[in-house]
Amino acid sequence: MQPSEDLLEMIASFSGNLVALTGAGISADSGIPTFRGKDGLWNRYLPEELATPQAFARDPELVWEWYAWRMRKIFKAEPNPAHIALALMERKGLIKAVITQNVDNLHERAGSRNVIHLHGRIDEMRCTECGKVVEVTEPPESIPPHCRCGGLMRPNVVWFGEALPQKELNLATELCSSNNVVVIGTSALVQPAASMPFYAKRNGYHVIEVNPNTTPLTGIADLSIREKAGKAFEEVCTILKEEEIR
Ligand code: APR
């Protein structure tokens, strides 16, 4: 059987008791760079200089220049078949939620409604003084941007050394402890997201991994699709779209 038929067959066998855990790899096929691996962002930039509260305090302009560059890339990108397949699966009751480490909004733009962002969102800015959060559809005109209250705005993302949003973390932990998990495009190196598929296994659920490379999760995966996400879900998309038409 083709891996994508295996994939859809196993997904359907879970009868909706399934969540997705996604990482930068699912957006790679939309042209958005991942963090590690061959052309990873961390090969060219030091995360300590761009993705920590200390870096922002030291040079908010430099940090905002980098996020504005990432925003331009992300806002120009389009969802790929993997994002679209997850949205179709949600519509058909095959999946309960998408838990993502990504700060892009490609899951939402593909049509997924129940998306849990563990590391925040690049299409939001937060005031460091009053805490006000504003949605953005393009990089700020003036860098660094300021709030009406005069406070400095920051990207509403989780930086290294910062706590994840508690509500999202609790929900994601609960979902991964009581459902099967399809893990797509993560190196499974950054905690606490990397531990979540182990919660599923520990409680007797299954783990599917979709990744062209092996990861620390590969050893516990019940099905490992060694494929790029866009390609692995292309066939799934076609089948689910045909079913929609029938
Ligand atoms: N399809 C599926 N997976 C892919 C593809 C693809 N086309 N291309 C690359 N990958 C895989 C890589 O093999 C790797 O395992 O995606 C993974 C990307 O890993 P990372 O770059 O480490 O991204 P991620 O796992 O999401 O990082 C987690 O680290 O820097 C922090 O906050 C950042 O949320 C991020 C977190």
Side-chain angles (χ1 to χ4, degrees):
M1 233 199 257
Q2 288 301 320
S4 49
E5 284 160 2
D6 275 342
L7 180 58
L8 188 54
E9 189 180 293
M10 187 170 246
I11 285 168
S13 74
F14 297 141
S15 318
N17 298 309
L18 175 66
V19 294
L21 173 65
T22 66
I26 196 171
S27 298
D29 294 327
S30 298
I32 297 174
T34 62
F35 293 97
R36 299 166 185 85
K38 201 161 49 59
D39 305 322
L41 287 173
W42 298 147
N43 297 354
R44 282 179 286 156
Y45 304 100
L46 283 176
E48 302 75 34
E49 283 177 0
L50 294 166
T52 63
Q54 295 77 9
F56 187 69
R58 193 172 47 243
D59 191 343
E61 197 159 337
L62 171 71
V63 173
W64 262 114
E65 291 295 352
W66 188 62
Y67 276 92
W69 171 77
R70 288 182 66 196
M71 282 168 141
R72 278 189 287 277
K73 265 189 154 338
I74 285 170
F75 293 155
K76 263 200 323 243
E78 289 298 325
N80 67 59
H83 297 106
I84 295 164
L86 291 180
L88 287 167
M89 285 158 57
E90 180 187 76
R91 250 205 313 277
K92 294 177 145 338
L94 290 173
I95 195 166
K96 290 177 184 166
V98 174
I99 298 156
T100 189
Q101 300 170 85
N102 300 339
V103 294
D104 66 53
N105 57 356
L106 292 179
H107 286 302
E108 289 84 354
R109 287 167 53 199
S112 288
R113 280 205 287 278
N114 198 358
V115 183
I116 299 162
H117 282 269
L118 291 176
H119 296 167
R121 300 183 59 150
I122 204 167
D123 58 350
E124 291 177 348
M125 296 197 296
R126 185 174 84 234
C127 177
T128 55
E129 293 297 323
C130 70
K132 181 178 162 59
V133 174
V134 295
E135 272 198 39
V136 289
T137 53
E138 56 193 22
E141 267 154 39
S142 67
I143 282 183
H146 285 81
C147 177
R148 284 224 180 88
C149 79
L152 189 54
M153 299 295 274
R154 58 167 280 178
N156 197 23
V157 300
V158 179
W159 282 326
F160 288 102
E162 292 188 316
L164 275 65
Q166 198 57 52
K167 184 167 109 349
E168 286 77 358
L169 178 56
N170 293 345
L171 186 52
T173 304
E174 163 54 34
L175 284 167
C176 288
S177 302
S178 54
N179 285 281
N180 302 287
V181 184
V182 53
V183 186
I184 309 167
T186 183
S187 57
L189 295 173
V190 175
Q191 297 299 349
S195 295
M196 293 193 180
F198 290 89
Y199 304 157
K201 281 302 279 188
R202 191 176 59 199
N203 293 339
Y205 294 95
H206 292 83
V207 169
I208 303 174
E209 179 179 49
V210 180
N211 192 321
N213 301 304
T214 57
T215 74
L217 294 176
T218 306
I220 64 156
D222 298 275
L223 175 64
S224 226
I225 308 272
R226 194 70 55 247
E227 183 60 84
K228 291 185 172 185
K231 182 138 176 25
F233 282 95
E234 225 162 35
E235 184 65 15
V236 172
C237 257
T238 309
I239 295 167
L240 294 178
K241 278 180 185 163
E242 276 162 9
E243 279 179 11
E244 257 194 349
I245 297 161
R246 262 186 249 139

